[in-house]
Amino acid sequence: MLALVAPGQGAQTPGMLEPWIQDPAAKLLVQQWSHEIGLDLVRLGTTADAEEIKDTANAQPLIVAAGLLGARALNKENNLAFVAGHSVGEITAAALAGVINDLDAMKLVRARGIEMAKAAAIKPAGMAAVLGGDREVVLRAIADLGLVAANDNGAGQIVAAGDLDALSQLAPEGARVRALAVAGAFHTSYMEPAVAPLRALAASLEVQDPKCGVISNKDGAVIRNGREILDRIVAQISNPVRWDLCMTTLTENVSGALEVPPAGTLVGLLKRAAPIVETFALKAVADLALADEFALRHNQEVSN
């Protein structure tokens, strides 16, 4: 059984769309998306520097565009049993499952990036990765400082979010703390102002039930109702990401997980936390033939 997984913010790299838009049809598609959402994805994905694409309003649409392009280039005969995405990658996953079309995915992620950037500007806040240490000790230290475990990524990685002063005091025994270069406390109540505008946009989109199971960041549940999937994606903006639970669901249901571009982060987490699942990171156009072979090995007994 095969799953496609889609990474979240932080996975972006300069020039990451360049190899995927060498195909004229793919470049035309990206140009159309750019026109529709009012953002030059071609320039941002080819010549913009790391600082410019780190901006939330730029990073999120770029990541979804890269994921959609990578998946589009795979063999269309590949059958999917499940999809999952980390944070903004859930929008990529929803499009891959046919819940929304690609253009609506780009419209939704464009609005998400803008609204989250606006929410982040209201009150200074940040995020820090806590690496290693005893899980319960780490969670207690985060809570004691009034912070939120915004991303529980499994594999000994929890991302704390909230007040900057509190983050500077975070030092759980046996763990390393690394400040993240982000502009706000994503997946916490700090993002609540972004929810209503996204909920209104999502309500206007045409939604279909998915062609495969969609694993939710909320609780790792497999969701098969299209409207519920979109509702969960919107609510997740101000609620923690439980990628650890998503990995548990993958372990219980699939033999292989293929990460779409910009790939690498989720495969790394899966290798450490769920080694029973074979993984493949689709990082380059040159990887497509091997990616299709990988998919073929794992989709022989698909049951939707």
Side-chain angles (χ1 to χ4, degrees):
M1 302 269 274
L2 176 70
L4 289 190
V5 296
Q9 192 167 342
Q12 71 276 1
T13 56
M16 67 184 186
L17 293 190
E18 180 71 43
W20 301 102
I21 60 174
Q22 294 303 307
D23 171 33
K27 184 172 185 179
L28 179 60
L29 184 61
V30 176
Q31 289 171 333
Q32 291 171 342
W33 292 342
S34 297
H35 174 74
E36 290 289 341
I37 68 174
L39 186 70
D40 189 349
L41 293 166
V42 174
R43 184 189 68 78
L44 287 170
T46 56
T47 61
D49 62 18
E51 189 64 27
E52 186 174 9
I53 66 171
K54 184 177 71 176
D55 184 307
T56 298
N58 293 334
Q60 294 191 11
L62 274 180
I63 288 165
V64 173
L68 294 178
L69 290 175
R72 179 180 177 274
L74 289 167
N75 189 326
K76 299 301 182 291
E77 299 304 311
N78 292 330
N79 293 309
L80 294 178
F82 297 92
V83 294
H86 187 288
S87 187
V88 72
E90 284 202 300
I91 295 178
T92 313
L96 298 181
V99 175
I100 51 178
N101 63 45
D102 289 357
L103 178 56
D104 282 348
M106 293 308 304
K107 290 178 178 178
L108 187 61
V109 72
R110 173 60 166 154
R112 185 184 191 272
I114 290 172
E115 295 300 334
M116 289 179 71
K118 286 162 59 176
I122 294 172
K123 185 178 180 181
M127 305 180 81
V130 184
L131 308 172
D134 179 83
R135 173 183 168 79
E136 295 306 317
V137 170
V138 169
L139 291 174
R140 191 180 314 116
I142 290 170
D144 285 348
L145 287 167
L147 299 168
V148 175
N151 295 346
D152 195 334
N153 291 330
Q157 183 187 116
I158 296 174
V159 177
D163 179 76
L164 293 173
D165 287 339
L167 283 172
S168 70
Q169 300 172 45
L170 184 61
E173 183 181 354
R176 293 178 292 119
V177 179
R178 179 169 55 85
L180 300 182
V182 295
F186 302 144
H187 300 292
T188 72
S189 60
Y190 284 80
M191 292 293 108
E192 193 61 37
V195 173
L198 267 294
R199 185 177 290 124
L201 174 58
S204 73
L205 301 180
E206 182 176 343
V207 174
Q208 307 291 332
D209 287 341
K211 61 186 180 184
C212 62
V214 178
I215 302 172
S216 172
N217 279 182
K218 179 180 179 180
D219 50 14
V222 178
I223 311 300
R224 298 184 184 274
N225 177 279
R227 182 53 64 183
E228 182 182 355
I229 289 165
L230 215 55
D231 288 346
R232 281 175 170 242
I233 286 172
V234 172
Q236 207 65 41
I237 293 169
S238 60
N239 286 282
V241 169
R242 291 301 304 270
W243 184 250
D244 60 327
L245 299 180
C246 292
M247 289 195 294
T248 297
T249 303
L250 287 167
T251 300
E252 294 170 347
N253 289 279
V254 305
S255 57
L258 192 158
E259 185 177 1
V260 297
T265 302
L266 300 184
V267 159
L269 290 171
L270 279 163
K271 284 180 176 178
R272 292 194 294 277
I276 191 173
V277 177
E278 188 180 3
T279 57
F280 190 99
L282 179 57
K283 294 184 176 182
V285 173
D287 297 332
L288 282 168
L290 288 175
D292 283 327
E293 289 178 14
F294 175 88
L296 183 63
R297 286 205 312 276
H298 291 281
N299 66 17
Q300 298 298 314
E301 298 180 4
V302 173
S303 174
N304 287 346

